[in-house]
Amino acid sequence: MESNWIKQAGDAVLLWLAHNGIMFTRAALTWTLAQFAIIVGAFGLALIVAHRLTPAFEAYIRQIEGRPRLLRFLAIILRRLKWIVFPLVLWFALLVMRHVTWPSRSYLIGLAASLATAWILISIASRAIRSRFIARVVAVAAWMIAALAILGLLNDLIVALDAVGIDFQGFRLTPLLLIKAVTVLVVLVWLAVAAGRFIDAHLSAIEDLSPSMQVLTAKLAKAGLIVAAVLMGLSLVGINLTAFAVFSGAVGLGVGFGLQKVVSNLISGVILLIDKSIKPGDVISVGDTYGRINELAARYASVISRDGREYLIPNEDLITSQVVNWSYSSDLVRLDLDFGVAYSADPHEVRKLAREVSATHKRVQAVPPPVCHITAFGDSSVNYKLRFWIRDPDKGTVNVRGDIFLLLWDALKEADMQIPFPQRDVGFKGPVEVRLAEPPKPAPKRRPRKRAASRKSAQ
């Protein structure tokens, strides 16, 4: 009874396929359904195997230390373990089917194994791209191309895309040409950027080059590689560069009017790197901004202040504005402290004490030594100026000033030397009549109220 039901269902499927123009024999339909069952079973087996292998694989990964690249690769494998096992099971099933029966009866299994293998290889390779969104886009696009090639539809799609086009001054623009151009340009530009980063990393390790020359050489190398990649990509696609003469003129006109600030900042950045007036690591002051240059980008300079804020100053401002470079020709910086001592103190002892005290600070340089001079005889004190030198302005100047002030305070207090403060004497012309104000009268005390307790006698 059951076999008759299966036979009737098979006859119904064959009639439906024949009605839609697909001719199938009963044997072909049986083997097709069997292949689908094998594919589903292979996926279920892959889930079970991956579930069993995952704990042991995770324990092995946790034992690896000091090898971040290997850990990252193994983590990628772990997240895709079921998709790795799935094509392996399919290839094994395909091998068994080829030995048992005709190759045509395992066609769908081979197709599924090829598609799954292409997907897992492309998925793992795309993880080399740092951006997850771009990696996913590249993976999906590459797998679609691989799937079309496996299914034998890629050539037909290429012919269809090349059949539609627009003729423009002897140049034919087709969808196929656009896809090729975008793909080739993206790949070549990505390779150029990666090569630029590689050159930048190796240039930064060369101690004979100054920081500004390292940055300039790296930027020129990156720009040259990107331009070469674009020109090479257009040539490989078969685009004649002379066709873009009008377009390049329009772009140049737009750059001249609409992108003046951008181009100005780019050129200013190159000038700063060439004349070496500002380089990474310098301590500068621009307006109210004081800090150390962290990076010289194409459009701006990154300056990190002492409070941790990072200011992005346009390169044009560093060219046109007044900039104080604390470490331009030398990292030796002089700081001044102004203070005053009472007239009762010996100025020779004060100067000696100030020099000795400032020399005890760890950031103050012994050569040149600290000096102290009298600058003026003030109204209430003798004014002095203490000068000393440091070699690390990037660590701050206010903090070292504060330390020296505290050392001066302790030393002057120990030597019994007073730091005066302004005093004012008020004088009155003629006698002053002083009247004593009458004291306020005390408030009258409140008497407590007597309770009138009168009871009526009961009659």
Side-chain angles (χ1 to χ4, degrees), residues 86-156:
F86 178 52
L88 293 177
V89 176
L90 287 178
W91 286 116
F92 179 77
L94 179 65
L95 183 63
V96 173
M97 292 285 290
R98 292 287 173 88
H99 282 79
V100 172
T101 184
W102 300 101
S104 59
R105 295 177 177 178
S106 59
Y107 172 76
L108 294 179
I109 298 176
L111 197 64
S114 300
L115 292 174
T117 303
W119 170 249
I120 192 62
L121 293 177
I122 293 172
S123 178
I124 295 175
S126 64
R127 297 303 298 171
I129 303 174
R130 295 183 178 181
S131 176
R132 290 188 176 182
F133 175 75
I134 297 177
R136 290 176 181 176
V137 172
V138 171
V140 171
W143 185 79
M144 290 179 63
I145 295 174
L148 291 173
I150 293 172
L151 296 173
L153 301 176
L154 185 60
N155 292 330
D156 297 336

Side-chain angles (χ1 to χ4, degrees), residues 195-238:
R197 291 175 180 171
F198 178 79
I199 294 173
D200 190 8
H202 282 69
L203 286 176
S204 60
I206 301 177
E207 298 180 354
D208 296 336
L209 290 177
S210 62
S212 58
M213 287 302 299
Q214 292 176 0
V215 176
L216 178 60
T217 305
K219 291 186 181 299
L220 291 178
K222 288 180 181 179
L225 288 173
I226 291 175
V227 172
V230 172
L231 296 178
M232 185 183 299
L234 295 176
S235 299
L236 289 175
V237 174

Side-chain angles (χ1 to χ4, degrees), residues 330-334 358-359 361-371 387-391:
S330 174
D331 56 357
L332 197 62
V333 177
R334 190 188 74 184
S358 60
H361 197 277
K362 60 181 180 180
R363 291 181 58 188
V364 176
Q365 299 297 309
V367 179
V371 295
R387 290 176 173 174
F388 55 91
W389 300 80
I390 62 174
R391 284 192 177 275

Side-chain angles (χ1 to χ4, degrees), residues 97-352:
M97 292 285 290
R98 292 287 173 88
H99 282 79
V100 172
T101 184
W102 300 101
S104 59
R105 295 177 177 178
S106 59
Y107 172 76
L108 294 179
I109 298 176
L111 197 64
S114 300
L115 292 174
T117 303
W119 170 249
I120 192 62
L121 293 177
I122 293 172
S123 178
I124 295 175
S126 64
R127 297 303 298 171
I129 303 174
R130 295 183 178 181
S131 176
R132 290 188 176 182
F133 175 75
I134 297 177
R136 290 176 181 176
V137 172
V138 171
V140 171
W143 185 79
M144 290 179 63
I145 295 174
L148 291 173
I150 293 172
L151 296 173
L153 301 176
L154 185 60
N155 292 330
D156 297 336
L157 181 62
I158 291 174
V159 172
L161 292 176
D162 195 35
V164 181
I166 301 174
D167 294 329
F168 178 74
Q169 295 182 355
F171 175 75
R172 182 173 175 78
L173 182 63
T174 62
L176 179 63
L177 183 62
L178 287 176
I179 295 174
K180 285 183 178 180
V182 172
T183 304
V184 171
L185 286 177
V186 168
V187 172
L188 290 179
V189 170
W190 180 77
L191 292 175
V193 172
R197 291 175 180 171
F198 178 79
I199 294 173
D200 190 8
H202 282 69
L203 286 176
S204 60
I206 301 177
E207 298 180 354
D208 296 336
L209 290 177
S210 62
S212 58
M213 287 302 299
Q214 292 176 0
V215 176
L216 178 60
T217 305
K219 291 186 181 299
L220 291 178
K222 288 180 181 179
L225 288 173
I226 291 175
V227 172
V230 172
L231 296 178
M232 185 183 299
L234 295 176
S235 299
L236 289 175
V237 174
I239 298 177
N240 189 4
L241 298 179
T242 57
F244 292 92
V246 178
F247 178 73
S248 60
V251 171
L253 187 63
V255 168
F257 286 97
L259 303 178
Q260 294 182 18
K261 287 293 183 181
V262 176
V263 176
S264 176
N265 287 320
L266 292 174
I267 296 176
S268 298
V270 175
I271 294 173
L272 290 174
L273 293 173
I274 292 176
D275 63 12
K276 302 179 183 179
S277 58
I278 294 176
K279 57 186 180 295
D282 284 351
V283 180
I284 65 171
S285 298
V286 183
D288 297 333
T289 304
Y290 171 85
R292 178 180 57 85
I293 296 179
N294 182 45
E295 180 188 3
L296 283 177
R299 189 181 58 84
Y300 59 85
S302 171
V303 178
I304 300 178
S305 63
R306 289 287 299 165
D307 57 1
R309 298 180 182 179
E310 189 166 2
Y311 295 89
L312 305 180
I313 303 176
N315 293 328
E316 184 182 5
D317 294 346
L318 299 176
I319 293 289
T320 58
S321 303
Q322 182 179 0
V323 180
V324 179
N325 192 338
W326 293 71
S327 54
Y328 175 59
S329 57
S330 174
D331 56 357
L332 197 62
V333 177
R334 190 188 74 184
L335 300 179
D336 297 343
L337 288 183
D338 295 320
F339 66 98
V341 180
Y343 278 93
S344 59
D346 185 1
H348 300 282
E349 293 296 329
V350 173
R351 294 178 61 196
K352 180 181 178 182

Side-chain angles (χ1 to χ4, degrees), residues 2 25 86 169 215 279 302 347 368 373 379 406 419 422:
E2 183 178 358
T25 62
F86 178 52
Q169 295 182 355
V215 176
K279 57 186 180 295
S302 171
H373 302 289
D379 296 337
L406 287 176
I419 299 176

